[in-house]
Amino acid sequence: MIQTFFQGMLWIILLYNFFLFLSSREKVYLAYVLYIFGFSMFSSQNTGLLIDYILPEYPHTAYFFRVTGLCIIFIAYSWFILTFLPSHTINSFWRKFLKVLMIAQILITLVYIAAVYFLENIPLYSGLSIPISAIVMLFMIIFFIHLATKYWKNTLVKYFLIGSLFVIGGGFISNALRLVKLDFIKDVYTIVQAGGVLEILVFSLGLGYRVKKLEKENAKILENQNQMLEEKVKKRTQEISQKQEEILVQNEELHQQQEEIISQRDYIETQNSQLKQTNTQFTDSVRYAKTIQEAILPFGKRLTSNFEEHFVLFRPRDIVSGDFYWIYETSDSITKEKIILIAALDCTGHGVPGAFISLIGFALLNEIVAKEHIISPAKILKRLDERLQEALKQKQTNNMDGMDVALCSVKKMNANNEFEVVFSGAKRPLYYIENKELKELKGNKISVGGITKKKERTKVTFEEQKITLSKNDKIYLTTDGFADQNDKDKQKIGSLQLQEIIKENHNLSLSEQKTKLEETLDHHQGKEEQRDDITILGVKL
């Protein structure tokens, strides 16, 4: 399921960039599409998805898809370098090298296929692939060093080097782990996939920056043209007023100038139309990102199947959100009792940066529960803290991105309709209604992820709080967006007012409670802009 989700993400990005190529006819998008396609083919074969599930009747095609995928990756990657990077950053030597590499890769692939299928000599294939890969990697590292030392200040070069570093770093780490053969690491190729996903995301950002840069350049051209037109009109007007005796002679010249102005005006209008089209394409790309993010949020059927009633108040500040909510159904490894994990998470930032962190957090949560079999809320938060620091290399980069989390597990205890709720929080509380009274469990005063002085001085631990609730009791998980929303006088709603709203309306159905919360939020906010992403998740046991 994880590999299928991973492949789905790749193909969404692939198809979107293919449509961009069809609309713009820019070769860089076609090179990017081919690179993603090769990565998808290689990844589906290397993880077993292709041979085990898609083509199980043709296992002998495994090596073909592997070497063909690698061939497409190297060719598309070389082509992407030539079309993505500014021309002045690639001298004639490296330009020739990349073109030769594209041709050589085709020949090498034919040799690989011959070794495997015609000579049926797998050791020969392995013996050839290792030195050839090492030679190519050595030249690419030299090329990366060349770019980093001479053109690091160029933003497009930064995007390219950082994106490439992710996938190369993932490859080195996975190979190192495969050599030491650590028993607790079952699938080292996941690291390569993670590096590949991060590389593709960084390259997507680079293409977005490239579009913005073109917009700025076009705007500057328009501004210069407008100034030039104004200066010409002013100069011609002065000449007319100073030389009235030459009006008849200059009429023809003025007529020609008028035609020139009209032509330039038409050109400016054309440029404006192109700029609008570019802006629309950029906005559409963010909306595609929203579709991807919405796909990871729990469907209503999953909530309904586990809870009698529920509501979700989810309002991103921008098109995509740094908030997300999560539900996972699992079981106790010993008693086999059904356990439902639910959480509301607030990632650092909002918009596109926050959405990237939320996608990473969603993937890590699923891996922690599904692969590492951790179901204790406190242990999940501690492991999420460790994995997030590793994923973002925070100890090396001092990156401070993280997330505030309210996480609890719900388990039905016996036939008396009693439920055991275990809660652990990272800067977020749990509200719950017990015997018609509103109560609160506070979380730890530390976020998940990020490197702080407090974390360096002490060993990070998250505490668990366990309560027993009855049928029809209600629990609420929130991020800080609702309480922090300000009105026209810069006054926040506040946590106390949020608790008061829940307390006053707890007898209503959860759908009616959501309506009350929305009415309060809309009335308080008025015409003010939304300050942060907002998420409130309420369920009835």
Side-chain angles (χ1 to χ4, degrees):
M1 291 179 64
I2 293 175
Q3 292 303 321
T4 303
F5 173 76
F6 169 75
Q7 291 291 329
M9 289 180 60
L10 289 182
W11 276 89
I12 289 173
I13 299 173
L14 182 151
L15 292 174
Y16 170 69
N17 283 276
F18 182 69
F19 291 141
L20 287 181
F21 165 72
L22 293 178
S23 61
S24 65
R25 295 296 177 181
E26 290 196 34
K27 296 179 180 179
V28 64
Y29 289 114
L30 183 57
Y32 191 42
V33 165
L34 289 175
Y35 178 73
I36 298 173
F37 175 74
F39 190 83
S40 173
M41 179 185 293
F42 175 77
S43 176
S44 63
Q45 185 278 328
N46 211 45
T47 58
L49 179 67
L50 183 69
I51 302 304
D52 291 346
Y53 295 98
I54 300 177
L55 298 172
E57 299 87 359
Y58 307 97
H60 58 280
T61 61
Y63 279 103
F64 174 80
F65 283 105
R66 180 184 181 87
V67 298
T68 304
L70 285 172
C71 177
I72 295 173
I73 287 174
F74 276 104
I75 293 174
Y77 186 76
S78 302
W79 192 16
F80 180 78
I81 294 174
L82 292 171
T83 54
F84 178 76
L85 293 178
S87 58
H88 70 275
T89 63
I90 310 176
N91 58 33
S92 58
F93 169 80
W94 289 111
R95 194 173 295 278
K96 291 178 181 178
F97 169 75
L98 292 170
K99 291 180 179 178
V100 170
L101 179 61
M102 295 166 69
I103 298 173
Q105 186 59 44
I106 297 175
L107 299 177
I108 292 170
T109 301
L110 294 176
V111 172
Y112 285 166
I113 294 174
V116 174
Y117 290 103
F118 293 99
L119 301 179
E120 296 183 353
N121 193 333
I122 301 300
L124 176 62
Y125 160 72
S126 302
L128 290 172
S129 63
I130 293 175
I132 291 173
S133 300
I135 293 171
V136 173
M137 186 58 64
L138 176 63
F139 274 95
M140 292 308 297
I141 290 174
I142 296 173
F143 176 62
F144 293 154
I145 295 173
H146 163 73
L147 288 178
T149 54
K150 295 193 65 175
Y151 303 105
W152 178 252
K153 293 183 179 180
N154 187 287
T155 304
L156 288 177
V157 172
K158 289 181 180 179
Y159 275 113
F160 170 73
L161 290 176
I162 292 172
S164 299
L165 181 62
F166 280 124
V167 74
I168 292 174
F172 275 121
I173 293 172
S174 66
N175 285 326
L177 294 176
R178 190 180 293 110
L179 288 174
V180 298
K181 299 180 179 179
L182 296 179
D183 294 334
F184 63 89
I185 299 178
K186 301 301 182 183
D187 187 7
V188 296
Y189 188 69
T190 303
I191 299 174
V192 178
Q193 286 185 308
V197 170
L198 291 173
E199 179 194 46
I200 289 171
L201 292 176
V202 172
F203 282 175
S204 297
L205 290 175
L207 289 172
Y209 170 80
R210 186 170 177 271
V211 172
K212 286 187 176 180
K213 186 177 180 182
L214 290 175
E215 291 177 354
K216 290 181 180 179
E217 291 176 353
N218 289 336
K220 189 174 181 180
I221 292 172
L222 289 175
E223 182 180 355
N224 293 337
Q225 289 176 343
N226 285 332
Q227 291 178 353
M228 182 178 65
L229 286 174
E230 291 175 0
E231 291 174 359
K232 282 187 177 182
V233 173
K234 183 178 179 180
K235 181 179 178 180
R236 296 309 181 192
T237 303
Q238 290 175 349
E239 290 177 355
I240 292 173
S241 57
Q242 291 174 0
K243 300 178 182 181
Q244 292 182 355
E245 65 277 15
E246 299 178 3
I247 292 177
L248 294 176
V249 178
Q250 295 178 349
N251 276 341
E252 181 62 24
E253 182 181 356
L254 288 174
H255 178 69
Q256 293 176 357
Q257 292 175 356
Q258 183 182 15
E259 291 180 348
E260 180 182 353
I261 292 172
I262 292 173
S263 175
Q264 291 175 343
R265 183 197 64 191
D266 293 339
Y267 175 75
I268 291 172
E269 290 177 353
T270 302
Q271 291 292 316
N272 279 330
S273 176
Q274 293 176 353
L275 284 174
K276 289 179 180 179
Q277 182 180 2
T278 302
N279 183 62
T280 300
Q281 291 173 350
F282 176 77
T283 303
D284 289 343
S285 69
V286 179
R287 295 190 183 280
Y288 273 110
K290 177 184 179 183
T291 303
I292 296 173
Q293 187 180 48
E294 288 178 346
I296 73 171
L297 296 177
F299 294 105
K301 289 183 179 179
R302 187 184 300 177
L303 284 165
T304 302
S305 65
N306 290 293
F307 298 103
E308 184 175 339
E309 288 185 53
H310 71 273
F311 78 81
V312 179
L313 175 53
F314 183 68
R315 288 190 182 183
R317 196 198 82 159
D318 303 312
I319 298 176
V320 289
S321 173
D323 281 8
F324 72 99
Y325 53 96
W326 177 75
I327 179 171
Y328 197 99
E329 183 179 333
T330 183
S331 61
D332 191 297
S333 60
I334 299 175
T335 64
K336 305 303 180 181
E337 293 175 309
K338 178 180 176 182
I339 295 176
I340 304 167
L341 296 166
I342 56 174
L345 302 95
D346 183 0
C347 301
T348 301
H350 38 70
V352 175
F356 282 148
I357 301 297
S358 72
L359 288 173
I360 294 173
F362 173 82
L364 291 178
L365 278 172
N366 285 334
E367 286 189 9
I368 289 169
V369 178
K371 289 189 174 182
E372 301 182 23
H373 306 294
I374 299 175
I375 60 175
S376 164
K379 292 181 180 179
I380 290 174
L381 292 188
K382 178 175 175 59
R383 186 60 179 141
L384 181 61
D385 178 68
E386 296 170 351
R387 291 290 301 276
L388 193 59
Q389 290 183 34
E390 293 170 2
L392 300 180
K393 295 181 174 60
Q394 294 183 326
K395 291 184 179 179
Q396 294 82 8
T397 63
N398 292 323
N399 177 278
M400 295 299 293
D401 291 336
M403 56 188 70
D404 297 341
V405 186
L407 169 66
C408 67
S409 66
V410 179
K411 178 173 69 174
K412 190 172 183 180
M413 296 175 59
N414 49 49
N416 296 328
N417 290 326
E418 290 185 332
F419 295 81
E420 179 187 83
V421 178
V422 182
F423 168 73
S424 186
K427 283 192 175 182
R428 296 306 307 156
L430 169 71
Y431 301 122
Y432 65 97
I433 300 294
E434 182 181 21
N435 297 326
K436 301 183 179 180
E437 290 186 12
L438 176 65
K439 298 182 181 180
E440 176 185 4
L441 297 179
K442 296 184 180 295
N444 291 93
K445 296 181 179 180
I446 190 169
S447 297
V448 169
I451 302 297
T452 63
K453 291 183 179 179
K454 183 176 181 181
K455 282 189 174 182
E456 291 176 349
R457 290 196 304 265
T458 62
K459 186 177 181 181
V460 176
T461 57
F462 293 92
E463 297 176 355
E464 280 187 350
Q465 301 177 65
K466 186 181 297 183
I467 57 176
T468 301
L469 300 178
S470 302
K471 183 178 181 181
N472 297 326
D473 288 342
K474 306 176 183 71
I475 58 177
Y476 304 86
L477 304 173
T478 73
T479 62
D480 60 2
F482 188 96
D484 287 348
Q485 180 58 47
N486 60 277
D487 60 11
K488 63 180 181 179
D489 298 321
K490 307 302 179 184
Q491 295 296 317
K492 298 180 181 179
I493 295 177
S495 298
L496 292 178
Q497 187 175 351
L498 171 59
Q499 294 178 46
E500 192 63 29
I501 297 169
I502 296 174
K503 182 178 179 181
E504 290 178 356
N505 299 285
H506 76 270
N507 285 324
L508 300 177
S509 67
L510 288 181
S511 62
E512 291 175 315
Q513 291 185 41
K514 177 183 178 182
T515 300
K516 292 292 183 181
L517 288 167
E518 289 176 330
E519 290 174 352
T520 301
L521 177 62
D522 293 336
H523 177 74
H524 182 86
Q525 181 177 346
K527 295 182 180 180
E528 294 297 307
E529 292 185 357
Q530 185 172 325
R531 181 174 178 176
D532 197 2
D533 301 316
I534 296 172
T535 302
I536 300 178
L537 174 62
V539 296
K540 179 179 179 181
L541 302 179

